[in-house]
Amino acid sequence: MNIKKLMLHKTAIVTFMFIALLFSWFAGHLVVGEKEIVFPVMIKTSTTCQTTTTANQNQLIVFTPSKYVAQLLTQNLCDDKVVAKQYGSVIGYWGYRTVDSLEFVGKGIADLILAKNNIMEAFRAETTYNYQPVVGFSDYTAFFISSKEKPLITKQYFLDKRIGLLDYPTSRSGHILPKQTFKQLGLNIAQLKITYASSHNELRELLANGQVDLIASFWRENDSKRFSKNYITPISSNVAGTRWYLKMQHNNTDLLCAVQSHLLSMSKEQSFRYYQDVEPYWQCNNYPVTFIGES
């Protein structure tokens, strides 16, 4: 008898819980209704604006590693009369990793992109998609940077050091040049204590926090706030800077000159001196428009 009562008691509890769960589901269904639940986008990586010719379905696509530049340039291009004659909207994408640039260059997605020339050469983008350089930034020097001493370019020096490099084979200052140096010194990469980072900013954090003894990167003006300029050693000078490229599948020189004008104006508003030193590659003052290249 006690066993039967116990079984009935358990059955009653299970039945009650099932009914309660079923009631909760119906109540929730009535409250939510048939509307689809939409979760907010937590990370936004693009911005879009309309030109004055909103009926035009053509879209100008811009890519840059900087969110600020992407937003500013996108709006400036939307307000441009030349752009409005050809496009109904402009969309600006940004991505901080080299792999983001590879995606846009490799598939020819971007009409206008800020990228390194070695990436463009690796994908033969100028031949495949007819990307043409519009403006370029000055060459720079790659360094080994330490927080406590001036790095030495010797085999023995690197053997017991914790080294920070970029995890992108296309980065010259953060990956290609330091590894070339190790190879020239007869060092086996597998024997070195290397920590890989996803960006130059992350490399600096690793060094500032004492997680590595030195990093390979370029020197920024504000680096002197955290590191000593006495503790940097050049790896290679005259490393080609980044360039803005425009996809020129047509001889669209009106668009090219409009873009170049905006890029030159924007460079004057940049806080870093490196991005203020920009060089135009096209002569747009007189017709016909001609490529003048690097001076």
Side-chain angles (χ1 to χ4, degrees):
M1 180 67 70
N2 291 335
I3 294 176
K4 288 183 177 180
K5 287 183 178 180
L6 182 61
M7 292 297 294
L8 287 172
H9 180 67
K10 288 184 176 180
T11 303
I13 292 175
V14 172
T15 303
F16 174 78
M17 292 178 65
F18 176 76
I19 294 173
L21 183 63
L22 194 62
F23 176 79
S24 299
W25 183 86
F26 276 113
H29 186 70
L30 290 173
V31 172
V32 176
E34 298 296 330
K35 292 183 179 180
E36 180 182 358
I37 298 176
V38 179
F39 294 96
V41 178
M42 301 305 292
I43 302 176
K44 185 178 180 182
T45 58
S46 66
T47 181
T48 307
C49 59
Q50 301 291 322
T51 68
T52 54
T53 54
T54 55
N56 190 329
Q57 298 299 307
N58 292 323
Q59 190 174 64
L60 182 66
I61 299 176
V62 179
F63 177 83
T64 170
S66 168
K67 176 181 178 180
Y68 169 76
V69 173
Q71 292 177 328
L72 179 60
L73 181 58
T74 298
Q75 189 57 57
N76 287 347
L77 291 175
C78 271
D79 296 336
D80 188 274
K81 294 180 180 179
V82 173
V83 174
K85 291 177 181 178
Q86 302 181 25
Y87 298 92
S89 61
V90 180
I91 179 168
Y93 291 93
W94 59 85
Y96 309 106
R97 305 172 302 167
T98 303
V99 69
D100 298 320
S101 297
L102 298 180
E103 181 76 9
F104 277 81
V105 171
K107 296 180 180 180
I109 299 172
D111 297 300
L112 178 64
I113 185 169
L114 178 63
K116 300 174 183 176
N117 69 327
N118 63 321
I119 293 179
M120 305 301 284
E121 290 172 357
F123 283 97
R124 297 182 179 179
E126 294 185 46
T127 302
T128 306
Y129 301 109
N130 201 27
Y131 278 111
Q132 297 295 319
V134 182
V135 300
F137 299 101
S138 60
D139 294 349
Y140 62 93
T141 301
F143 294 97
F144 283 118
I145 305 173
S146 175
S147 60
K148 297 180 180 178
E149 63 181 353
K150 186 177 181 65
L152 302 176
I153 309 294
T154 65
K155 182 175 182 179
Q156 191 63 36
Y157 179 81
F158 291 112
L159 285 175
D160 63 345
K161 292 294 185 293
R162 299 170 300 165
I163 305 166
L165 300 181
L166 275 187
D167 193 22
Y168 295 108
T170 56
S171 173
R172 287 163 294 187
S173 61
H175 192 103
I176 297 173
L177 293 173
K179 284 196 170 183
Q180 285 179 351
T181 301
F182 300 148
K183 185 176 181 180
Q184 291 168 0
L185 293 173
L187 288 164
N188 187 340
I189 300 296
Q191 296 176 332
L192 297 175
K193 302 172 186 177
I194 298 177
T195 299
Y196 289 98
S198 61
S199 67
H200 287 281
N201 287 336
E202 187 177 329
L203 279 178
R204 284 160 171 75
E205 291 301 320
L206 290 174
L207 182 60
N209 296 335
Q211 295 174 261
V212 295
D213 299 311
L214 69 154
I215 61 173
S217 186
F218 49 86
W219 183 258
R220 295 171 174 167
E221 293 176 39
N222 62 348
D223 281 338
S224 57
K225 295 178 181 178
R226 293 198 290 179
F227 312 115
S228 172
K229 202 167 185 178
N230 294 324
Y231 296 158
I232 63 176
T233 299
I235 307 173
S236 177
S237 58
N238 298 323
V239 180
T242 54
R243 297 182 175 95
W244 279 101
Y245 292 86
L246 180 67
K247 187 159 58 175
M248 291 280 290
Q249 293 179 323
H250 306 284
N251 191 29
N252 197 347
T253 53
D254 282 356
L255 178 64
L256 185 148
C257 288
V259 166
Q260 179 171 269
S261 177
H262 285 293
L263 293 175
L264 292 175
S265 297
M266 283 181 54
S267 68
K268 300 175 183 178
E269 303 173 12
Q270 300 301 308
S271 56
F272 290 116
R273 185 179 302 171
Y274 174 79
Y275 291 108
Q276 296 173 355
D277 186 14
V278 63
E279 180 182 2
Y281 292 156
W282 294 81
Q283 182 283 123
C284 289
N285 294 327
N286 302 303
Y287 193 83
V289 174
T290 54
F291 180 72
I292 56 178
E294 301 178 59
S295 61

